[in-house]
Amino acid sequence: MADGLVGVHAYWQVSRSHPRGYRQFVALTWLLSILSWQRHAGPMELFADEPTIEWLDSMGHLQHYDRVTRLDDTGLDDRYDRAACFALPKLLALERHPTAVLVDTDAYLLAPLRLTGPGSHFAHLESGDVDFYAGLRALSNPAGVDLPDNLDVVGNTSLFRAADAGLARRISAAGLAFLAHNPTTPGRDVHLHMTVAEQVLATHLTLRAGAPMVNIFGALWRFGHGWLGAPPAYGHLWHVKRAEAAADVVVAFQGLRQHLVAVYGVDDERIRSALRRA
């Protein structure tokens, strides 16, 4: 698809062991994310390190991208722990692709998407009135990055486009500085620093710039409560990947497989081949 919204998958290999069933679930989700974006929005590009590119190529996924750019990770491991900074390539992509839409590899569209109007576009919003997002200025922050103490809402960046290229680059620089040398804060959630670098700073700097925050699907999430109103009209499978109940993963896996065959015409042998290599 030559026209439309440019989407970017940004990823690097995280050094941790996942069971094969998890990798297979990721493989199906990843393929659906590519195909659904191309059908409903525009071209999809990949910005990833060499091990990720090789893995996607081995499954046959790489051929579906409209463009592939290799992430030069030289020296990054000296400053960032990959497990703690699992979404760091999204910050790098904001610098390299400042006008594109960042798309999580476990997010997929269910209908045509067009982003209209000014402002930063977020997949949905999350309530800031929860312990997870409280007292942000108390976090370990050796770089002295400007943080809000709290926010009424935080933009979810499973789909994200900054209001303009300058803002995208400011979010990138602030997030990379905040994560440098892997600061941690005792007693706080282990994922919080990455979430601040990725989502809180995107929200905070958008507001500081006086730009609107656009809630793409008009949905609001609150930790511990779920959706406050109707859920968004797109798929985002992060919660399933973290599910403790194996039955939930199995149900989602079968649904993904059926969706790829019925909606996108993916041959079942193509799916079986990818699963063997996942």
Side-chain angles (χ1 to χ4, degrees), residues 241-262:
K241 291 198 303 185
R242 290 160 177 75
E244 295 182 2
D248 294 340
V249 179
V250 170
V251 169
F253 179 88
Q254 294 299 338
L256 283 174
R257 188 167 188 164
Q258 293 167 8
H259 194 73
L260 283 166
V261 173

PDB file of all heavy atoms in Angstrom, residues 241-262:
ATOM      1  N   LYS A 241      -0.792 -11.710  26.680  1.00  0.00           N
ATOM      2  CA  LYS A 241       0.572 -12.228  26.752  1.00  0.00           C
ATOM      3  C   LYS A 241       1.050 -12.334  28.200  1.00  0.00           C
ATOM      4  O   LYS A 241       1.937 -13.127  28.505  1.00  0.00           O
ATOM      5  CB  LYS A 241       1.527 -11.336  25.955  1.00  0.00           C
ATOM      6  CG  LYS A 241       1.304 -11.405  24.452  1.00  0.00           C
ATOM      7  CD  LYS A 241       2.485 -10.887  23.660  1.00  0.00           C
ATOM      8  CE  LYS A 241       2.853  -9.486  23.994  1.00  0.00           C
ATOM      9  NZ  LYS A 241       3.924  -8.964  23.126  1.00  0.00           N
ATOM     10  N   ARG A 242       0.462 -11.532  29.079  1.00  0.00           N
ATOM     11  CA  ARG A 242       0.850 -11.561  30.484  1.00  0.00           C
ATOM     12  C   ARG A 242      -0.135 -12.360  31.342  1.00  0.00           C
ATOM     13  O   ARG A 242      -0.046 -12.347  32.571  1.00  0.00           O
ATOM     14  CB  ARG A 242       0.966 -10.128  31.016  1.00  0.00           C
ATOM     15  CG  ARG A 242       2.164  -9.398  30.433  1.00  0.00           C
ATOM     16  CD  ARG A 242       2.030  -7.895  30.540  1.00  0.00           C
ATOM     17  NE  ARG A 242       3.202  -7.199  30.051  1.00  0.00           N
ATOM     18  CZ  ARG A 242       3.506  -7.050  28.757  1.00  0.00           C
ATOM     19  NH1 ARG A 242       2.714  -7.564  27.829  1.00  0.00           N
ATOM     20  NH2 ARG A 242       4.600  -6.416  28.382  1.00  0.00           N
ATOM     21  N   ALA A 243      -1.065 -13.029  30.692  1.00  0.00           N
ATOM     22  CA  ALA A 243      -2.089 -13.773  31.427  1.00  0.00           C
ATOM     23  C   ALA A 243      -1.479 -14.941  32.197  1.00  0.00           C
ATOM     24  O   ALA A 243      -0.595 -15.635  31.705  1.00  0.00           O
ATOM     25  CB  ALA A 243      -3.158 -14.286  30.464  1.00  0.00           C
ATOM     26  N   GLU A 244      -1.968 -15.132  33.405  1.00  0.00           N
ATOM     27  CA  GLU A 244      -1.489 -16.252  34.199  1.00  0.00           C
ATOM     28  C   GLU A 244      -2.206 -17.537  33.820  1.00  0.00           C
ATOM     29  O   GLU A 244      -1.658 -18.629  33.970  1.00  0.00           O
ATOM     30  CB  GLU A 244      -1.695 -15.963  35.686  1.00  0.00           C
ATOM     31  CG  GLU A 244      -0.873 -14.787  36.198  1.00  0.00           C
ATOM     32  CD  GLU A 244      -1.065 -14.557  37.676  1.00  0.00           C
ATOM     33  OE1 GLU A 244      -1.809 -15.351  38.300  1.00  0.00           O
ATOM     34  OE2 GLU A 244      -0.487 -13.596  38.211  1.00  0.00           O
ATOM     35  N   ALA A 245      -3.417 -17.430  33.315  1.00  0.00           N
ATOM     36  CA  ALA A 245      -4.195 -18.620  32.964  1.00  0.00           C
ATOM     37  C   ALA A 245      -3.855 -19.069  31.545  1.00  0.00           C
ATOM     38  O   ALA A 245      -4.084 -18.331  30.585  1.00  0.00           O
ATOM     39  CB  ALA A 245      -5.683 -18.326  33.088  1.00  0.00           C
ATOM     40  N   ALA A 246      -3.334 -20.269  31.418  1.00  0.00           N
ATOM     41  CA  ALA A 246      -2.954 -20.792  30.102  1.00  0.00           C
ATOM     42  C   ALA A 246      -4.164 -20.876  29.180  1.00  0.00           C
ATOM     43  O   ALA A 246      -4.040 -20.693  27.965  1.00  0.00           O
ATOM     44  CB  ALA A 246      -2.309 -22.170  30.249  1.00  0.00           C
ATOM     45  N   ALA A 247      -5.339 -21.129  29.765  1.00  0.00           N
ATOM     46  CA  ALA A 247      -6.548 -21.253  28.946  1.00  0.00           C
ATOM     47  C   ALA A 247      -6.844 -19.961  28.200  1.00  0.00           C
ATOM     48  O   ALA A 247      -7.309 -19.992  27.053  1.00  0.00           O
ATOM     49  CB  ALA A 247      -7.737 -21.634  29.826  1.00  0.00           C
ATOM     50  N   ASP A 248      -6.561 -18.799  28.823  1.00  0.00           N
ATOM     51  CA  ASP A 248      -6.799 -17.515  28.162  1.00  0.00           C
ATOM     52  C   ASP A 248      -5.911 -17.361  26.932  1.00  0.00           C
ATOM     53  O   ASP A 248      -6.337 -16.840  25.898  1.00  0.00           O
ATOM     54  CB  ASP A 248      -6.537 -16.359  29.129  1.00  0.00           C
ATOM     55  CG  ASP A 248      -7.527 -16.313  30.273  1.00  0.00           C
ATOM     56  OD1 ASP A 248      -8.619 -16.921  30.134  1.00  0.00           O
ATOM     57  OD2 ASP A 248      -7.228 -15.685  31.298  1.00  0.00           O
ATOM     58  N   VAL A 249      -4.672 -17.791  27.066  1.00  0.00           N
ATOM     59  CA  VAL A 249      -3.732 -17.699  25.954  1.00  0.00           C
ATOM     60  C   VAL A 249      -4.159 -18.626  24.824  1.00  0.00           C
ATOM     61  O   VAL A 249      -4.109 -18.262  23.645  1.00  0.00           O
ATOM     62  CB  VAL A 249      -2.299 -18.028  26.420  1.00  0.00           C
ATOM     63  CG1 VAL A 249      -1.318 -17.950  25.251  1.00  0.00           C
ATOM     64  CG2 VAL A 249      -1.873 -17.082  27.528  1.00  0.00           C
ATOM     65  N   VAL A 250      -4.594 -19.823  25.177  1.00  0.00           N
ATOM     66  CA  VAL A 250      -5.015 -20.800  24.158  1.00  0.00           C
ATOM     67  C   VAL A 250      -6.212 -20.273  23.368  1.00  0.00           C
ATOM     68  O   VAL A 250      -6.255 -20.358  22.140  1.00  0.00           O
ATOM     69  CB  VAL A 250      -5.352 -22.151  24.820  1.00  0.00           C
ATOM     70  CG1 VAL A 250      -6.012 -23.088  23.810  1.00  0.00           C
ATOM     71  CG2 VAL A 250      -4.092 -22.787  25.379  1.00  0.00           C
ATOM     72  N   VAL A 251      -7.190 -19.707  24.068  1.00  0.00           N
ATOM     73  CA  VAL A 251      -8.372 -19.164  23.395  1.00  0.00           C
ATOM     74  C   VAL A 251      -7.975 -18.031  22.451  1.00  0.00           C
ATOM     75  O   VAL A 251      -8.428 -17.964  21.298  1.00  0.00           O
ATOM     76  CB  VAL A 251      -9.399 -18.671  24.432  1.00  0.00           C
ATOM     77  CG1 VAL A 251     -10.514 -17.870  23.755  1.00  0.00           C
ATOM     78  CG2 VAL A 251      -9.997 -19.844  25.188  1.00  0.00           C
ATOM     79  N   ALA A 252      -7.115 -17.129  22.928  1.00  0.00           N
ATOM     80  CA  ALA A 252      -6.676 -16.011  22.087  1.00  0.00           C
ATOM     81  C   ALA A 252      -5.871 -16.516  20.892  1.00  0.00           C
ATOM     82  O   ALA A 252      -6.026 -16.011  19.774  1.00  0.00           O
ATOM     83  CB  ALA A 252      -5.841 -15.038  22.911  1.00  0.00           C
ATOM     84  N   PHE A 253      -5.030 -17.510  21.115  1.00  0.00           N
ATOM     85  CA  PHE A 253      -4.220 -18.080  20.040  1.00  0.00           C
ATOM     86  C   PHE A 253      -5.103 -18.651  18.937  1.00  0.00           C
ATOM     87  O   PHE A 253      -4.894 -18.384  17.745  1.00  0.00           O
ATOM     88  CB  PHE A 253      -3.304 -19.171  20.614  1.00  0.00           C
ATOM     89  CG  PHE A 253      -2.438 -19.856  19.601  1.00  0.00           C
ATOM     90  CD1 PHE A 253      -1.189 -19.346  19.286  1.00  0.00           C
ATOM     91  CD2 PHE A 253      -2.865 -21.017  18.962  1.00  0.00           C
ATOM     92  CE1 PHE A 253      -0.378 -19.982  18.353  1.00  0.00           C
ATOM     93  CE2 PHE A 253      -2.072 -21.648  18.033  1.00  0.00           C
ATOM     94  CZ  PHE A 253      -0.824 -21.132  17.728  1.00  0.00           C
ATOM     95  N   GLN A 254      -6.094 -19.425  19.318  1.00  0.00           N
ATOM     96  CA  GLN A 254      -6.986 -20.016  18.314  1.00  0.00           C
ATOM     97  C   GLN A 254      -7.779 -18.944  17.575  1.00  0.00           C
ATOM     98  O   GLN A 254      -8.003 -19.038  16.366  1.00  0.00           O
ATOM     99  CB  GLN A 254      -7.937 -21.017  18.994  1.00  0.00           C
ATOM    100  CG  GLN A 254      -7.247 -22.242  19.570  1.00  0.00           C
ATOM    101  CD  GLN A 254      -6.536 -23.063  18.500  1.00  0.00           C
ATOM    102  OE1 GLN A 254      -6.853 -22.997  17.322  1.00  0.00           O
ATOM    103  NE2 GLN A 254      -5.546 -23.844  18.923  1.00  0.00           N
ATOM    104  N   GLY A 255      -8.196 -17.915  18.303  1.00  0.00           N
ATOM    105  CA  GLY A 255      -8.914 -16.832  17.653  1.00  0.00           C
ATOM    106  C   GLY A 255      -8.056 -16.095  16.643  1.00  0.00           C
ATOM    107  O   GLY A 255      -8.525 -15.750  15.547  1.00  0.00           O
ATOM    108  N   LEU A 256      -6.796 -15.847  16.979  1.00  0.00           N
ATOM    109  CA  LEU A 256      -5.874 -15.199  16.053  1.00  0.00           C
ATOM    110  C   LEU A 256      -5.672 -16.039  14.795  1.00  0.00           C
ATOM    111  O   LEU A 256      -5.693 -15.527  13.673  1.00  0.00           O
ATOM    112  CB  LEU A 256      -4.517 -14.984  16.731  1.00  0.00           C
ATOM    113  CG  LEU A 256      -4.381 -13.838  17.716  1.00  0.00           C
ATOM    114  CD1 LEU A 256      -3.012 -13.876  18.377  1.00  0.00           C
ATOM    115  CD2 LEU A 256      -4.582 -12.505  17.026  1.00  0.00           C
ATOM    116  N   ARG A 257      -5.480 -17.315  15.001  1.00  0.00           N
ATOM    117  CA  ARG A 257      -5.248 -18.216  13.866  1.00  0.00           C
ATOM    118  C   ARG A 257      -6.448 -18.208  12.920  1.00  0.00           C
ATOM    119  O   ARG A 257      -6.300 -18.104  11.700  1.00  0.00           O
ATOM    120  CB  ARG A 257      -4.955 -19.621  14.375  1.00  0.00           C
ATOM    121  CG  ARG A 257      -4.514 -20.606  13.314  1.00  0.00           C
ATOM    122  CD  ARG A 257      -3.955 -21.863  13.922  1.00  0.00           C
ATOM    123  NE  ARG A 257      -3.359 -22.731  12.923  1.00  0.00           N
ATOM    124  CZ  ARG A 257      -2.533 -23.725  13.216  1.00  0.00           C
ATOM    125  NH1 ARG A 257      -2.208 -23.969  14.481  1.00  0.00           N
ATOM    126  NH2 ARG A 257      -2.020 -24.477  12.251  1.00  0.00           N
ATOM    127  N   GLN A 258      -7.638 -18.309  13.475  1.00  0.00           N
ATOM    128  CA  GLN A 258      -8.849 -18.304  12.652  1.00  0.00           C
ATOM    129  C   GLN A 258      -9.026 -16.966  11.942  1.00  0.00           C
ATOM    130  O   GLN A 258      -9.449 -16.915  10.782  1.00  0.00           O
ATOM    131  CB  GLN A 258     -10.062 -18.621  13.529  1.00  0.00           C
ATOM    132  CG  GLN A 258     -10.069 -20.047  14.079  1.00  0.00           C
ATOM    133  CD  GLN A 258     -11.091 -20.247  15.181  1.00  0.00           C
ATOM    134  OE1 GLN A 258     -11.905 -19.362  15.455  1.00  0.00           O
ATOM    135  NE2 GLN A 258     -11.043 -21.404  15.832  1.00  0.00           N
ATOM    136  N   HIS A 259      -8.689 -15.874  12.633  1.00  0.00           N
ATOM    137  CA  HIS A 259      -8.826 -14.542  12.046  1.00  0.00           C
ATOM    138  C   HIS A 259      -7.890 -14.383  10.851  1.00  0.00           C
ATOM    139  O   HIS A 259      -8.287 -13.834   9.802  1.00  0.00           O
ATOM    140  CB  HIS A 259      -8.520 -13.489  13.112  1.00  0.00           C
ATOM    141  CG  HIS A 259      -8.927 -12.100  12.747  1.00  0.00           C
ATOM    142  ND1 HIS A 259     -10.236 -11.685  12.724  1.00  0.00           N
ATOM    143  CD2 HIS A 259      -8.198 -11.025  12.372  1.00  0.00           C
ATOM    144  CE1 HIS A 259     -10.300 -10.409  12.362  1.00  0.00           C
ATOM    145  NE2 HIS A 259      -9.068  -9.983  12.139  1.00  0.00           N
ATOM    146  N   LEU A 260      -6.657 -14.833  10.984  1.00  0.00           N
ATOM    147  CA  LEU A 260      -5.694 -14.731   9.888  1.00  0.00           C
ATOM    148  C   LEU A 260      -6.156 -15.511   8.665  1.00  0.00           C
ATOM    149  O   LEU A 260      -6.001 -15.062   7.524  1.00  0.00           O
ATOM    150  CB  LEU A 260      -4.321 -15.231  10.345  1.00  0.00           C
ATOM    151  CG  LEU A 260      -3.518 -14.268  11.224  1.00  0.00           C
ATOM    152  CD1 LEU A 260      -2.354 -14.998  11.886  1.00  0.00           C
ATOM    153  CD2 LEU A 260      -3.020 -13.095  10.403  1.00  0.00           C
ATOM    154  N   VAL A 261      -6.742 -16.666   8.882  1.00  0.00           N
ATOM    155  CA  VAL A 261      -7.212 -17.491   7.761  1.00  0.00           C
ATOM    156  C   VAL A 261      -8.474 -16.901   7.144  1.00  0.00           C
ATOM    157  O   VAL A 261      -8.562 -16.715   5.922  1.00  0.00           O
ATOM    158  CB  VAL A 261      -7.475 -18.939   8.237  1.00  0.00           C
ATOM    159  CG1 VAL A 261      -8.125 -19.757   7.121  1.00  0.00           C
ATOM    160  CG2 VAL A 261      -6.169 -19.596   8.678  1.00  0.00           C
ATOM    161  N   ALA A 262      -9.466 -16.573   7.989  1.00  0.00           N
ATOM    162  CA  ALA A 262     -10.777 -16.152   7.480  1.00  0.00           C
ATOM    163  C   ALA A 262     -10.780 -14.741   6.919  1.00  0.00           C
ATOM    164  O   ALA A 262     -11.410 -14.473   5.892  1.00  0.00           O
ATOM    165  CB  ALA A 262     -11.821 -16.276   8.591  1.00  0.00           C
TER     166      ALA A 262
END
